[in-house]
């Protein structure tokens, strides 16, 4: 079992930056690939970024490429999402998730990000 707790959300003006953190419980954090997803009001949850167990490979949704960076610290059991050049369209609840194989099996409760124009 892995418990995930996101933090770092908030209100920011367009063009600003935020860094989200996701702290994982348990001693097996490095066994899981990690991802960030988001869900805007009235929309389905969508993939934002993913990172491998070792942290060597990150992949991104086209909408955030070049603006967001995912990273992880396997000593601190934490995954991060650095978000730069934020746009109002980035407004959503952001969730982190732990992946076993190709399935995301554990999810956090989410943190709200609001970008004002």
């Amino acid at each position: 079992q892995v418990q995930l707790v996101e933090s770092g959300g908030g209100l920011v003006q367009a063009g600003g930056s935020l860094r989200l953190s996701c702290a994982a419980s348990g001693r097996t954090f490095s066994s899981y690939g990690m991802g960030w997803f988001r869900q805007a009001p009235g929309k389905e949850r969508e993939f934002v970024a993913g990172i491998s167990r070792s942290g060597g490979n990150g992949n991104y949704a086209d909408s955030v490429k070049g603006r967001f960076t995912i990273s992880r610290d396997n000593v601190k059991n934490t995954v991060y999402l650095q978000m730069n050049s934020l746009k109002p369209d980035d407004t959503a609840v952001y969730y982190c998730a732990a992946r076993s194989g190709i399935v995301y099996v554990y999810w956090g409760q989410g943190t709200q990000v609001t970008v004002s124009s």
Side-chain angles (χ1 to χ4, degrees):
Q1 186 79 6
V2 176
Q3 291 186 324
L4 304 172
V5 179
E6 303 96 336
S7 62
L11 174 64
V12 64
Q13 288 188 332
S17 298
L18 283 174
R19 187 175 83 153
L20 306 183
S21 299
C22 173
S25 66
R27 294 174 290 179
T28 59
F29 177 70
S30 60
S31 299
Y32 297 91
M34 298 296 296
W36 286 96
F37 292 75
R38 67 186 181 186
Q39 187 167 20
K43 295 186 177 181
E44 293 187 352
R45 189 174 298 188
E46 64 175 357
F47 172 81
V48 175
I51 192 166
S52 65
R53 291 175 293 175
S54 66
N57 298 306
N59 57 300
Y60 301 90
D62 288 344
S63 59
V64 306
K65 276 181 184 176
R67 300 189 297 122
F68 290 12
T69 303
I70 188 171
S71 62
R72 68 188 294 163
D73 185 331
N74 285 345
V75 174
K76 295 182 177 179
N77 284 6
T78 302
V79 62
Y80 304 97
L81 186 67
Q82 178 66 43
M83 307 186 295
N84 299 328
S85 302
L86 282 161
K87 306 174 182 180
D89 283 350
D90 295 317
T91 295
V93 178
Y94 284 71
Y95 300 88
C96 72
R99 176 172 51 82
S100 179
I102 62 171
V103 179
Y104 284 91
V105 292
Y106 299 112
W107 294 83
Q109 292 300 305
T111 185
Q112 176 71 46
V113 171
T114 303
V115 184
S116 63
S117 56

